[in-house]
Amino acid sequence: MRIKVHCQNRVGILRDILNLLVDYGINVARGEVGGEQGNAIYLHCPNLINLQFQALRPKLEAIPGVFGVKRVGLMPSERRHLELNALLGALDFPVLSIDMVGSIVAANRAAAQLLGVRVDEVPGIPLARYVEDFDLPELVRANKSRINGLRVKVKGDSFLADIAPLQTEHDESDALAGAVLTLHRADRVGERIYNVRKHELRGFDSIFQSSKVMAAVVREARRMAPLDAPLLIEGETGTGKELLARACHLASPRGQAPFMALNCAGLPESMAETELFGYGPGAFEGARPEGKLGLLELTAGGTLFLDGVGEMSPRLQAKLLRFLQDGCFRRVGSDEEVYLDVRVICATQVDLSELCARGEFRQDLYHRLNVLSLHIPPLRECLDGLEPLAEHFIDQASRLIGCPLPKLSPQAMDKLRHYHWPGNVRQLENVLFQAVSLCEGGLVRPEHIRLPDYGAPQPLGDFSLDGSLEEILGRFEKAVLERLYAEHPSSRQLGRRLGVSHTTIANKLRQYGVGKDKS
């Protein structure tokens, strides 16, 4: 158990606290002083159980200078360690800490993968084993300042290295403790530059609004963005739900705080729960001894985006509902209540109200999430803005590929306009990227537009195609007459509707036995 003693900063107060613990036979494995003015003492007592704590608490609070005692989930150093691990783990490029002997002290997951070892096997490995002709300690002693973009070879691959010396407040070289080495693949620098440019347009400016329907959605979103309430975004796959969520976050008072995203679809329940809520120290076999912070805690003060919320398990739905109601939750394997201020934005491809009607989604959670709602229309309902959107993606693709800007032929545009777009805007972007890479002569032609026919609407639906052509046409003609006769219940009315004489219609009705009871 970990306890926090809020106390006066006086000489001997720690001795008085420890003497009382000794009297109770309580072992202290670790202690830390915290608080803004050193007015808190944190103690890790592995053999202290809850019953003992309840008996010991009033005696501790009776010590002169002790203001209060309570249980805590983490020691301050453990929390800093967790936060640092979470930050380093989120980086997709290798980061290593090297001492002045040239040995690796610590590394993030990306660095361990590069070296081909586990993270816990990294400490003590000589850097020279993996890096050719590179004496980092000597380089640090010679420069004593940050070095950026130094080309090095790691396991035969070229990297650009940024070196930041670890130095005390003194300037003598003896005070150097080592350096932090950050590696970037030389062959991906261009890709990184493109990604930076791609995200320069942020917020609502990054959403293309050539369609009147989409422009109306963005107007609604702009009004809802500053409101500090849950937001539910509905839309098919590929319509840009996360893009709209990010725009709402950036336009809100939380815009400078973190934005974290979790796709609930396809994640096992246990993994989704630990990713979202984290877990306490030693929560289960194989867990980190210090525990793990979840996305909720990493998002404190910001916005959490949950995609595919309709696929959440009932257990996760209950925990999310409690957080939305009370602003608190418990990590997996911990009984400590964690209170946070986080705005939740959810997205779904399915109709949550239908799931509620079938008992597959909690109605109380649905009403909590549906305080504000936005519906992003599919691309097939925004075809009035298709041409400028297509030209935008062609321009984007030509910049990325590094080729002259091609034009879109009228025939190719016509092909785009008559497609059903099951993958929506994301599919359009990918199709046009491929078309630009295939086209020659500066013109995108219909043959460059490669569109799969999956998900295409079937014009005949479930209509049977058994038998000869005459039999098929007869069944179809009878189905048409039966359908329209209900709306036009006489041969004259039906003849006018279909553009033929009433005699022809009367003969057809008699032939197929349609409307006999009304003749």
Side-chain angles (χ1 to χ4, degrees):
M1 182 184 294
R2 295 159 177 80
I3 62 174
K4 175 185 176 182
V5 181
H6 182 211
C7 59
Q8 181 183 3
N9 187 0
R10 68 167 175 84
V11 175
I13 193 167
L14 179 58
R15 180 193 60 200
D16 296 341
I17 293 170
L18 294 178
N19 285 340
L20 181 60
L21 293 175
V22 169
D23 293 339
Y24 274 73
I26 304 301
N27 181 46
V28 177
R30 189 167 67 252
E32 295 177 26
V33 175
E36 295 180 358
Q37 299 174 340
N39 58 355
I41 296 173
Y42 294 81
L43 300 173
H44 181 198
C45 308
N47 64 336
L48 178 62
I49 62 175
N50 191 55
L51 193 62
Q52 288 175 308
F53 175 70
Q54 296 303 327
L56 187 61
R57 184 174 179 176
K59 296 185 180 296
L60 285 170
E61 292 178 339
I63 295 174
V66 174
F67 308 126
V69 182
K70 68 175 183 178
R71 294 179 60 181
V72 293
L74 296 169
M75 305 284 279
S77 62
E78 290 176 328
R79 174 170 287 277
R80 288 193 295 272
H81 180 66
L82 283 172
E83 290 170 343
L84 183 60
N85 276 350
L87 289 171
L88 288 175
L91 300 176
D92 60 355
F93 49 82
V95 181
L96 307 98
S97 178
I98 316 295
D99 64 18
M100 291 305 290
V101 185
S103 297
I104 304 173
V105 179
N108 67 346
R109 188 178 292 108
Q113 289 173 347
L114 172 64
L115 302 181
V117 297
R118 297 197 311 268
V119 173
D120 59 349
E121 294 176 332
V122 166
I125 297 177
L127 182 65
R129 184 185 299 178
Y130 301 97
V131 184
E132 304 170 9
D133 304 322
F134 181 57
D135 189 345
L136 180 63
E138 185 57 35
L139 191 64
V140 171
R141 289 190 189 98
N143 287 273
K144 300 181 185 177
S145 61
R146 184 179 179 89
I147 302 171
N148 292 323
L150 180 68
R151 187 173 289 271
V152 297
K153 281 205 167 184
V154 182
K155 298 180 69 175
D157 292 328
S158 293
F159 288 81
L160 297 179
D162 296 334
I163 303 166
L166 295 174
Q167 193 170 16
T168 63
E169 58 189 18
H170 305 291
D171 292 329
E172 298 84 16
S173 61
D174 291 340
L176 290 168
V180 172
L181 184 67
T182 305
L183 301 173
H184 304 277
R185 285 192 176 275
D187 57 356
R188 295 185 63 185
V189 172
E191 178 185 337
R192 291 184 178 279
I193 293 172
Y194 166 70
N195 284 332
V196 170
R197 289 177 178 171
K198 184 177 181 180
H199 290 94
E200 279 177 358
L201 275 178
R202 306 200 315 159
F204 290 111
D205 292 333
S206 63
I207 301 174
F208 211 77
Q209 304 170 43
S210 53
S211 164
K212 293 180 180 177
V213 180
M214 197 62 210
V217 172
V218 172
R219 282 197 300 272
E220 287 184 13
R222 286 184 185 274
R223 290 196 294 269
M224 294 180 183
L227 306 178
D228 202 23
L231 171 63
L232 179 64
I233 302 176
E234 299 173 309
E236 296 179 6
T237 180
T239 50
K241 297 185 287 295
E242 183 172 348
L243 190 64
L244 189 63
R246 287 183 182 274
C248 290
H249 165 71
L250 290 168
S252 74
R254 302 174 183 265
Q256 300 304 313
F259 177 93
M260 295 286 181
L262 177 67
N263 192 334
C264 306
L267 276 181
E269 178 183 325
S270 58
M271 184 180 295
E273 187 175 9
T274 55
E275 283 294 312
L276 187 55
F277 299 103
Y279 57 79
F284 49 86
E285 186 177 353
R288 296 178 187 173
E290 71 275 15
K292 177 185 175 183
L293 295 180
L295 286 179
L296 263 176
E297 287 184 83
L298 294 174
T299 316
T303 302
L304 178 67
F305 175 66
L306 299 175
D307 197 4
V309 70
E311 299 190 36
M312 264 190 170
S313 69
R315 174 182 171 82
L316 278 183
Q317 290 180 35
K319 289 193 73 168
L320 179 60
L321 175 63
R322 180 165 185 257
F323 174 73
L324 291 171
Q325 287 176 334
D326 305 330
C328 68
F329 67 94
R330 292 179 182 179
R331 302 184 193 93
V332 176
S334 171
D335 57 4
E336 180 194 5
E337 298 283 357
V338 180
Y339 289 85
L340 290 174
D341 173 30
V342 174
R343 184 189 190 186
V344 176
I345 298 180
C346 293
T348 178
Q349 299 180 31
V350 296
D351 188 339
L352 292 185
S353 61
E354 287 188 8
L355 293 185
C356 291
R358 298 202 299 264
E360 297 174 13
F361 198 83
R362 296 181 64 117
Q363 287 194 8
D364 46 5
L365 177 58
Y366 171 64
H367 293 306
R368 279 281 176 181
L369 297 176
N370 198 30
V371 177
L372 302 172
S373 63
L374 290 168
H375 175 76
I376 305 181
L379 181 58
R380 59 184 172 273
E381 295 178 11
C382 303
L383 295 181
D384 59 320
L386 182 62
E387 187 167 352
L389 182 60
E391 290 172 352
H392 167 72
F393 284 141
I394 288 175
D395 177 69
Q396 192 178 79
S398 63
R399 290 175 186 273
L400 181 59
I401 295 170
C403 66
L405 177 64
K407 290 186 177 181
L408 187 65
S409 70
Q411 296 82 2
M413 187 63 233
D414 193 56
K415 186 173 182 178
L416 294 176
R417 194 174 283 111
H418 287 87
Y419 187 60
H420 57 286
W421 298 111
N424 293 293
V425 177
R426 185 188 299 127
Q427 184 186 10
L428 175 65
E429 182 179 12
N430 294 338
V431 164
L432 291 175
F433 180 89
Q434 184 183 57
V436 171
S437 68
L438 293 173
C439 77
E440 295 177 350
L443 187 65
V444 176
R445 303 179 185 278
E447 57 268 25
H448 302 141
I449 307 291
R450 298 182 176 179
L451 298 171
D453 57 3
Y454 72 91
Q458 300 297 320
L460 294 178
D462 297 328
F463 192 81
S464 172
L465 297 180
D466 295 336
S468 65
L469 177 62
E470 184 178 355
E471 291 170 334
I472 295 170
L473 292 175
R475 284 197 300 271
F476 187 76
E477 193 172 47
K478 180 181 179 182
V480 170
L481 293 172
E482 286 177 336
R483 171 72 180 274
L484 293 179
Y485 188 80
E487 302 172 14
H488 308 278
S490 75
S491 58
R492 292 188 182 278
Q493 292 179 33
L494 193 52
R496 283 196 297 270
R497 166 64 180 81
L498 295 174
V500 294
S501 69
H502 77 277
T503 304
T504 301
I505 291 297
N507 291 335
K508 293 288 184 182
L509 294 175
R510 192 178 306 109
Q511 177 184 346
Y512 295 117
V514 176
K516 279 185 177 180
D517 54 332
K518 297 181 181 181
S519 54

